[in-house]
Structures are given as C-alpha cells and as structure tokens.
Amino acid sequence: VYAVDPEERFVYYYAHLERYRDGLWEGMPVQRGDTIGFVGTTGNAPPDAPHLHFQVARLLDATRYWEGVPIDPLPYL
C-alpha cells in the first residue's frame, strides 16, 4: 500500500501485508488509526517471520510515488 499526504510531499509505503482491509480503494483518504492492511509474509519476507515493512519517502513527482527519496521517519514520529 502506498499512501500520499494531502500536500503530496511524502509517500508512506506498507509492504509484506497478508491482505488489505476490506473496502480499501485507490485514492481513498486515510487518517491516523485507520486499518489499511494486516501484517503478513508476502514478497521476500521469510514465511516464519510475519512483519511490516514501513517506509517514508520524500516525493519528487506525485505521479511516480514509487520513486521517492527514502528518509528516516523517526524524527517525525
């Protein structure tokens, strides 16, 4: 799942999800506390180690959200 902030400055990436939440759709606004998916072992995650890959990136072009520049989210959390 990729989520972009309203000002299109940052993209938040959630990976290795077992599944998305029911009713999640592209372009859907999400807020703090919303469930977007459930932790799993998809992709290259080991099958015996469910986990969430969370990444924050600075957007250079909102139409190419997968090409953002990764940043350390800790100072912002």
Side-chain angles (χ1 to χ4, degrees):
V1 172
Y2 289 93
V4 177
D5 74 312
E7 291 81 26
E8 297 184 341
R9 298 168 300 159
F10 300 100
V11 61
Y12 310 97
Y13 176 55
Y14 303 83
H16 304 302
L17 299 174
E18 177 182 307
R19 66 182 180 88
Y20 305 133
R21 82 158 215 211
D22 291 340
L24 188 68
W25 48 273
E26 186 173 344
M28 178 180 175
V30 294
Q31 298 181 66
R32 182 183 299 186
D34 286 353
T35 298
I36 59 170
F38 299 89
V39 173
T41 58
T42 59
N44 63 357
D48 60 343
H51 68 281
L52 172 68
H53 172 119
F54 175 68
Q55 179 176 322
V56 179
R58 184 83 154 126
L59 280 174
L60 302 174
D61 178 349
T63 65
R64 300 180 65 83
Y65 50 85
W66 59 93
E67 292 183 346
V69 177
I71 62 171
D72 179 0
L74 193 56
Y76 303 98
L77 300 177

